[in-house]
């Protein structure tokens, strides 16, 4: 009879979890792709973006100059 081994600290991370559970990894990938495609619709694209040129003027008095 083979007893199950306790995973060491090297096999407890998220990468090891995804390697053991391929379905979870694929579901996560599908969710991320779907979320990215859904969010693309909300991105505003402009050919010539509007911006303002703010100017700052500094004047210094030098007494006795």
């Amino acid at each position: 009879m083979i007893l199950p081994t306790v995973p060491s600290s090297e096999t407890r991370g998220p990468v090891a979890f995804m390697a053991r559970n391929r379905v979870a990894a694929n579901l996560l990938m599908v969710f991320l792709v779907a979320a990215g495609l859904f969010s693309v619709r909300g991105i505003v694209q402009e050919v010539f973006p509007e911006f303002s040129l703010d100017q700052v003027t500094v004047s210094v008095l030098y007494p006795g100059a």
Side-chain angles (χ1 to χ4, degrees), residues 21-46:
N21 300 307
R22 288 186 248 158
V23 175
N26 287 330
L27 284 175
L28 178 64
M29 180 188 66
V30 167
F31 173 73
L32 290 175
V33 168
L37 291 174
F38 182 73
S39 66
V40 164
R41 295 178 10 164
I43 296 176
V44 177
Q45 294 182 355
E46 297 181 8

Side-chain angles (χ1 to χ4, degrees), residues 8-62:
S8 67
S9 63
E10 296 175 357
T11 60
R12 292 186 187 186
V15 175
F17 176 78
M18 292 297 177
R20 285 191 310 269
N21 300 307
R22 288 186 248 158
V23 175
N26 287 330
L27 284 175
L28 178 64
M29 180 188 66
V30 167
F31 173 73
L32 290 175
V33 168
L37 291 174
F38 182 73
S39 66
V40 164
R41 295 178 10 164
I43 296 176
V44 177
Q45 294 182 355
E46 297 181 8
V47 178
F48 297 107
E50 296 181 18
F51 60 92
S52 62
L53 294 175
D54 296 331
Q55 294 181 351
V56 176
T57 304
V58 177
S59 60
V60 179
L61 297 176
Y62 291 107

